[in-house]
């Protein structure tokens, strides 16, 4: 009988991981124990995905707000600093902001509107239109913002982020002024020293600022790129990808992840004889249709993965073949025709990009697709499955 199941994504339970644990050993043991417990076989081209959180925890990659403050102060001194385009997140940004403010005397906080970079809304779009405000050109003071929009709270968290971020800065000991604008050049009317906190647009923002007279420009990806007073660090992403650990510390994005995935792959090969692909994943790349939030607050979905996960899918649309190329067939004849078409495509290994038969398929990187699947499977709460085991992802109709 034909195999009737395609892709399967399983959450794999693991022990609570602490600093100093051997993450590769734990992942391998957890996968093999899960396979034995649930009665599935490890197969070639299976995928093991490990959440970045437990990798960073095992590495002990943490930083205290005082260490963030020192790095920020070393870079800016006692200058007034514009902190621009942060995302609205207690988990992702508030502790970073506390550290930044603790190292500064005055902050001009510039918030994008109507939403932040990942879709958290400060302002209702309909109300903004009613007020006749153009987000591409209008600059609002805090007073003007309150007059127009009052005290709006986030739809999911119930937090007024303007008031919350203001209190974080003041409690850290810095003076604060808040403005609302989307053009990075606006901040240069207030200060020539800028710490830009956007994630995916950061390089463009830095370029614009430097080209228009900024004197000191840094991004979050340039804070804690090396250890400060024994802190953790990330040489590539700095504070980007960090999460709140305690009220005074953050867990940074993990480092040296390439070594981790290669080690896991090697151990699984030795113990099972199978070539399993491995990746470290963080946020998935998808958007919530209700809250309008784009999930990807990490700088990348996957900071490291084995070579077999490079590239994008090269798939055809079955319904297109059924409705067009083989519209006159049905039953076993249709199945055979489509099977031969796919086999021919796979044997030739030719890219189908741009051809009509691929329309409606997903031309995204494999790591972004699989990482999103892993993130949805593991969730962000108390499931206790920081390891995801995926089978059949590279199967198709012919398998």
């Amino acid at each position: 009988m034909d195999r009737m199941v395609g892709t399967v994504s399983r959450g794999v339970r693991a022990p609570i991981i602490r600093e100093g644990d051997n993450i590769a050993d734990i992942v391998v043991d957890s996968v093999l124990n899960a396979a034995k417990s649930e009665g599935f076989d490890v197969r070639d081209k299976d995928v093991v995905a490990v959440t970045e959180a437990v990798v960073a925890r095992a590495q002990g990659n943490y930083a205290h707000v005082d260490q963030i403050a020192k790095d920020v102060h070393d870079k800016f001194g006692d200058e007034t600093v514009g902190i621009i385009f942060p995302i609205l997140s207690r988990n992702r940004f508030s502790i970073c902001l506390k550290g930044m403010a603790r190292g500064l005397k005055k902050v001009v906080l510039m918030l994008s509107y109507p939403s932040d970079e990942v879709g958290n809304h400060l302002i209702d779009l309909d109300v903004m239109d009613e007020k006749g405000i153009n987000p591409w050109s209008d600059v609002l003071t805090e007073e003007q913002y309150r007059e127009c929009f009052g005290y709006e709270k986030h739809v999911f968290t119930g937090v007024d982020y303007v008031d919350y971020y203001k209190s974080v800065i003041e409690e850290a000991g810095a003076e604060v002024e808040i403005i609302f604008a989307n053009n990075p050049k606006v901040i240069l009317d207030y200060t020539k020293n800028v710490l830009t906190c956007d994630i995916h647009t950061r390089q463009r923002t830095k370029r614009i600022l430097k080209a228009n007279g900024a004197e000191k420009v840094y991004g979050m990806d340039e804070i804690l790129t090396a250890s400060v007073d024994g802190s953790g660090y990330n040489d590539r992403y700095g504070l980007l990808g960090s999460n709140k650990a305690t009220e005074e510390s953050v867990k940074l994005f993990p480092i040296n992840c390439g070594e981790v995935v290669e080690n896991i792959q090697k151990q699984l090969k030795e113990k099972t004889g199978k070539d399993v692909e491995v990746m470290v994943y963080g946020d998935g790349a998808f958007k919530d249709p209700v809250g309008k939030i784009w999930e990807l607050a990490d700088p990348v979905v996957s900071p490291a993965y084995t070579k077999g996960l490079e590239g994008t899918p090269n798939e055809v649309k079955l319904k297109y073949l059924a409705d067009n190329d083989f519209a006159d067939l049905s039953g076993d004849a249709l199945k055979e025709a489509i099977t031969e078409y796919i086999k021919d495509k796979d044997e030739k290994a030719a890219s189908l990009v741009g051809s009509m038969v691929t329309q409606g398929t997903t031309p995204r990187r494999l790591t972004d697709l699989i990482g999103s699947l892993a993130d949805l499977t593991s969730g962000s709460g108390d499931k206790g499955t920081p390891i995801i085991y995926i089978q059949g992802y590279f199967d198709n109709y012919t398998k």
Side-chain angles (χ1 to χ4, degrees):
M1 182 178 178
D2 290 343
R3 183 151 60 88
M4 300 301 293
V5 176
T7 301
V8 176
S9 180
R10 294 181 174 91
V12 175
R13 295 237 161 91
I16 300 299
I17 294 166
R18 298 293 190 186
E19 180 177 350
D21 287 347
N22 188 314
I23 187 66
D25 289 353
I26 290 173
V27 170
V28 171
D29 289 345
S30 297
V31 166
L32 295 180
N33 288 337
K36 182 178 180 181
S37 171
E38 297 300 309
F40 64 85
D41 296 323
V42 174
R43 302 195 298 253
D44 288 328
K45 295 300 289 184
D46 287 354
V47 180
V48 173
V50 187
T51 181
E52 57 82 20
V54 296
V55 178
R57 192 184 304 151
Q59 294 173 342
N61 205 19
Y62 292 84
H64 192 276
V65 290
D66 288 340
Q67 293 163 328
I68 297 173
K70 184 177 188 304
D71 199 7
V72 169
H73 187 267
D74 286 347
K75 287 178 167 63
F76 290 103
D78 293 330
E79 303 286 351
T80 295
V81 174
I83 295 179
I84 71 172
F85 301 153
I87 64 171
L88 308 176
S89 173
R90 293 168 297 174
N91 175 47
R92 287 290 191 170
F93 189 71
S94 66
I95 306 302
C96 294
L97 180 61
K98 180 188 289 190
M100 294 169 187
R102 194 173 288 184
L104 300 170
K105 287 189 174 182
K106 180 176 179 179
V107 170
V108 180
L109 180 66
M110 191 170 91
L111 300 173
S112 56
Y113 75 96
S115 69
D116 68 9
E117 180 185 3
V118 296
N120 291 296
H121 274 68
L122 277 174
I123 296 170
D124 183 277
L125 289 171
D126 292 330
V127 176
M128 186 181 70
D129 292 341
E130 289 172 8
K131 299 292 183 179
I133 293 173
N134 183 346
W136 301 110
S137 60
D138 293 345
V139 179
L140 305 177
T141 64
E142 183 182 0
E143 183 180 5
Q144 290 170 327
Y145 169 83
R146 292 301 189 192
E147 287 176 357
C148 290
F149 304 107
Y151 288 78
E152 288 290 331
K153 293 185 178 180
H154 188 276
V155 63
F156 287 155
T157 65
V159 173
D160 179 333
Y161 279 98
V162 178
D163 185 61
Y164 177 52
Y165 279 1
K166 183 176 183 178
S167 67
V168 167
I169 295 169
E170 290 177 335
E171 289 170 10
E175 183 183 349
V176 59
E177 179 177 0
I178 300 178
I179 60 174
F180 302 80
N182 291 309
N183 186 339
K185 290 187 287 186
V186 168
I187 195 63
L188 300 177
D189 294 333
Y190 298 80
T191 177
K192 304 298 184 184
N193 304 284
V194 186
L195 175 52
T196 181
C197 300
D198 45 346
I199 305 164
H200 307 292
T201 57
R202 63 188 184 275
Q203 300 303 341
R204 178 177 183 268
T205 300
K206 291 179 195 177
R207 173 175 54 79
I208 290 172
L209 290 168
K210 291 175 181 177
N212 285 275
E215 294 174 1
K216 294 180 182 177
V217 178
Y218 293 95
M220 283 182 67
D221 58 331
E222 296 170 290
I223 306 298
L224 290 189
T225 55
S227 180
V228 174
D229 293 341
S231 73
Y233 68 95
N234 191 295
D235 54 340
R236 186 173 182 184
Y237 298 117
L239 280 178
L240 290 181
S242 62
N243 285 271
K244 177 180 179 180
T246 70
E247 294 300 327
E248 291 286 311
S249 66
V250 294
K251 176 194 64 60
L252 301 170
F253 218 42
I255 56 176
N256 303 324
C257 294
E259 298 175 9
V260 174
V261 297
E262 295 292 342
N263 190 356
I264 294 170
Q265 185 181 57
K266 180 181 177 182
Q267 286 196 44
L268 286 171
K269 177 70 171 180
E270 291 172 349
K271 294 184 177 184
T272 69
K274 303 299 181 181
D275 293 310
V276 175
E277 304 298 342
V278 185
M279 67 182 294
V280 174
Y281 72 96
D283 281 343
F286 48 83
K287 185 174 181 178
D288 177 77
V290 176
K292 311 302 181 186
I293 298 169
W294 184 35
E295 176 71 8
L296 188 54
D298 285 328
V300 290
V301 172
S302 176
Y305 46 87
T306 50
K307 292 181 179 179
L309 296 178
E310 292 178 351
T312 58
N314 190 40
E315 300 173 344
V316 298
K317 200 76 169 179
L318 293 186
K319 64 183 181 182
Y320 181 88
L321 291 174
D323 291 343
N324 290 273
D325 295 51
F326 307 121
D328 57 332
L329 300 178
S330 62
D332 289 343
L334 176 60
K335 178 180 178 181
E336 181 64 23
I338 290 179
T339 298
E340 289 303 315
Y341 189 102
I342 295 172
K343 284 181 178 179
D344 184 60
K345 177 263 297 185
D346 289 344
E347 288 172 1
K348 291 179 179 178
S351 173
L352 297 172
V353 172
S355 63
M356 290 298 293
V357 76
T358 66
Q359 64 180 340
T361 59
T362 309
R364 294 164 58 190
R365 292 184 300 182
L366 288 168
T367 50
D368 292 342
L369 292 165
I370 298 171
S372 298
L373 172 61
D375 189 29
L376 287 166
T377 304
S378 62
S380 57
D382 57 6
K383 286 186 171 61
T385 55
I387 304 161
I388 306 301
Y389 197 78
I390 300 168
Q391 293 188 298
Y393 192 85
F394 294 98
D395 285 1
N396 58 38
Y397 188 68
T398 70
K399 303 299 182 184

